[in-house]
Amino acid sequence: MIDESIFPRLANCVLDSIGVKDGDAVFISGGSHEQRFLEEIGIAVARRGGQPFISAVSNDYQRRLLEACTVEQLKRMPKIMMGIAQAMDAYVIVEPYSDPTFKARFREKLQARSEGNFPVMQVIYGKPGKRWLYMGWATEEMARMYGVPLDVLERLVIGGCSVEPGLLKERCEHIMSALKGARYVHVTDPHGTDFRLNIEGRRLNPDDGVLSPEKVAVGDLGGNLPAGEVFVAPVETHGSGTIYCPLTIDDLTRGTIIKGVRLVFKDGTLMPDECTAEVNQEVLRDTIQKMVKLDVDKYGAPNALKVAELGIGLNPVIDRAIGYILTDEKIGGSVHVAFGRSDMYGGNVQSNMHWDFVTAPDATIEVEYGDGSRRLIMKDGRLLQLA
């Protein structure tokens, strides 16, 4: 069980990540298993002069709600949540499920809920958008799902949240300096990853755990805890290659582990029929198919297939992949590529999906600049010094 003595410090990390200030209305959401921590966040908001509002329900309630609701019900926009989204200044969500595995039984209903929630998500994550933060958590059930001891999960999640922001800022600035003026990024690893993306002219985004005025000025209003990456939205019509992801979690349910994923993309577009997995391949392909259908219905195009993000992990505490994307994508020495939505941080694609696929932590990154010169910035998972 997470030591409650660290709750006040963690709560202030949360507020620093979304820049809470006097007068802010902050909506705080999570599971009832986190009630004490959610309340600590609320108290911290009040001490900064803000107005906290907390919503926390049990894992059992969320399961029973999915059982009770019909698909048609879930497709309707949640009116109360829309009102909250419009009224709030900032949104905090702490991992809401103590045991996410039950969601694997509700694939069709979760697809419907994603469709119904989309207008609300636009208010939060679209333009101008709201300040937001998603924070991870650790429970016995989650540890069992990810196949690790609870103390390991706590170290990755809570320990990863506790890294000094100054260190993350330094690492982010190092990578951003290396990527400045870059046209192409070429990533390889010993497991079959070999792809090339175009990031020319795209905004570089540091995830260092603090919402700075500079981030707000360019519309970068959200983040995660644990923090620790630099990410960019590549040019959506360019980029080809293969990504090998040792393990991930189903993006639709967040309740099924998928292992040995090999993705192929061309001209910035995922090729679903060429994507494979060693374990739960049918789940991988079915989720992509469902998200494509939602996007075709909404936008008239399969936007879920578009390349959305190139990220470089930089958190020194997070040292192993378990399938929890929130921590996996921060592993030092790893690279991740996402497909789907990218308009929240400098891209041009709107989608119901944003699914990250993380390489093993021994990636090599070569950058090609506008003048044609090239430079290795990471070798076998180790950051290199800049000349």
Side-chain angles (χ1 to χ4, degrees):
M1 181 176 291
I2 297 169
D3 180 3
E4 292 191 11
S5 69
I6 68 173
F7 283 5
R9 179 167 56 84
L10 279 179
N12 279 300
C13 289
V14 167
L15 302 197
D16 290 343
S17 295
I18 52 172
V20 171
K21 57 186 185 300
D22 185 39
D24 278 345
V26 183
F27 179 51
I28 304 160
S29 176
S32 57
H33 59 287
E34 303 151 340
Q35 186 73 35
R36 293 290 294 274
F37 179 60
L38 299 177
E39 291 174 2
E40 195 66 49
I41 297 172
I43 297 300
V45 169
R47 286 175 175 156
R48 295 194 185 191
Q51 301 172 334
F53 181 83
I54 297 174
S55 171
V57 297
S58 71
N59 208 82
D60 185 58
Y61 172 79
Q62 298 191 75
R63 175 187 57 77
R64 292 178 64 201
L65 189 64
L66 283 171
E67 288 174 343
C69 289
T70 66
V71 167
E72 289 308 311
Q73 274 179 284
L74 292 166
K75 284 183 178 180
R76 300 172 193 154
M77 184 193 72
K79 293 185 286 187
I80 291 176
M81 188 59 203
M82 175 60 85
I84 292 172
Q86 291 170 336
M88 69 188 180
D89 297 299
Y91 178 39
V92 174
I93 180 167
V94 183
E95 189 69 55
Y97 299 97
S98 60
D99 183 359
T101 56
F102 79 89
K103 294 188 292 175
R105 297 168 22 218
F106 297 100
R107 295 182 61 78
E108 185 180 7
K109 288 188 175 182
L110 288 168
Q111 179 185 14
R113 188 167 72 179
S114 178
E115 183 177 348
N117 280 337
F118 191 78
V120 178
M121 298 300 100
Q122 285 295 85
V123 172
I124 300 171
Y125 304 115
K127 297 177 182 179
K130 307 287 184 172
R131 285 169 281 146
W132 61 270
L133 176 82
Y134 195 106
M135 180 177 172
W137 201 249
T139 66
E140 286 278 7
E141 297 88 350
M142 289 176 66
R144 189 158 51 247
M145 182 181 78
Y146 291 117
V148 296
L150 179 58
D151 64 328
V152 170
L153 183 60
E154 288 187 9
R155 178 178 63 81
L156 295 173
V157 178
I158 306 304
C161 289
S162 303
V163 176
E164 170 58 42
L167 174 60
L168 295 181
K169 185 174 189 291
E170 179 182 330
R171 292 189 172 199
C172 287
E173 288 176 348
H174 178 91
I175 289 295
M176 291 177 68
S177 174
L179 294 178
K180 185 177 180 180
R183 176 177 293 172
Y184 298 106
V185 177
H186 183 202
V187 179
T188 58
D189 71 19
H191 317 286
T193 294
D194 188 347
F195 66 85
R196 194 165 180 256
L197 290 171
N198 184 336
I199 65 167
E200 187 173 21
R202 290 302 175 93
R203 187 176 90 209
L204 302 174
N205 303 280
D207 178 26
D208 55 13
V210 177
L211 185 64
S212 66
E214 292 78 14
K215 291 181 184 179
V216 173
V218 296
D220 182 8
L221 302 179
N224 295 323
L225 280 178
E229 65 170 299
V230 168
F231 59 99
V232 58
V235 177
E236 295 85 0
T237 54
H238 292 71
S240 300
T242 301
I243 306 155
Y244 178 73
C245 171
L247 72 168
T248 186
I249 196 163
D250 172 33
D251 192 63
L252 179 62
T253 68
R254 299 296 172 102
T256 301
I257 299 292
I258 305 172
K259 297 181 180 180
V261 177
R262 196 171 301 275
L263 305 179
V264 178
F265 65 103
K266 183 177 180 181
D267 298 327
T269 302
L270 196 61
M271 315 294 285
D273 292 342
E274 298 183 43
C275 297
T276 61
E278 295 163 13
V279 176
N280 286 324
Q281 175 175 294
E282 69 283 0
V283 176
L284 171 75
R285 290 186 171 181
D286 185 63
T287 291
I288 293 172
Q289 182 182 37
K290 281 179 165 56
M291 292 303 183
V292 164
K293 182 180 185 305
L294 285 177
D295 285 354
V296 169
D297 290 346
K298 191 170 296 291
Y299 302 111
N303 291 351
L305 302 179
K306 301 306 295 181
V307 65
E309 178 188 358
L310 170 69
I312 300 172
L314 300 169
N315 191 306
V317 171
I318 303 172
D319 57 3
R320 60 184 290 185
I322 61 173
Y324 195 15
I325 296 174
L326 191 67
T327 57
D328 288 4
E329 67 179 4
K330 311 304 191 314
I331 299 170
S334 71
V335 174
H336 54 277
V337 176
F339 293 88
R341 186 169 190 173
S342 64
D343 62 319
M344 314 97 78
Y345 49 85
N348 297 314
V349 175
Q350 291 185 330
S351 172
N352 283 270
M353 186 176 95
H354 179 93
W355 194 348
D356 296 275
F357 295 90
V358 187
T359 71
D362 51 4
T364 293
I365 305 174
E366 182 183 54
V367 176
E368 180 181 327
Y369 298 94
D371 62 4
S373 63
R374 301 184 181 198
R375 173 187 290 164
L376 278 180
I377 66 171
M378 183 183 286
K379 176 68 173 174
D380 299 329
R382 183 173 60 86
L383 286 178
L384 303 179
Q385 292 298 316
L386 302 182

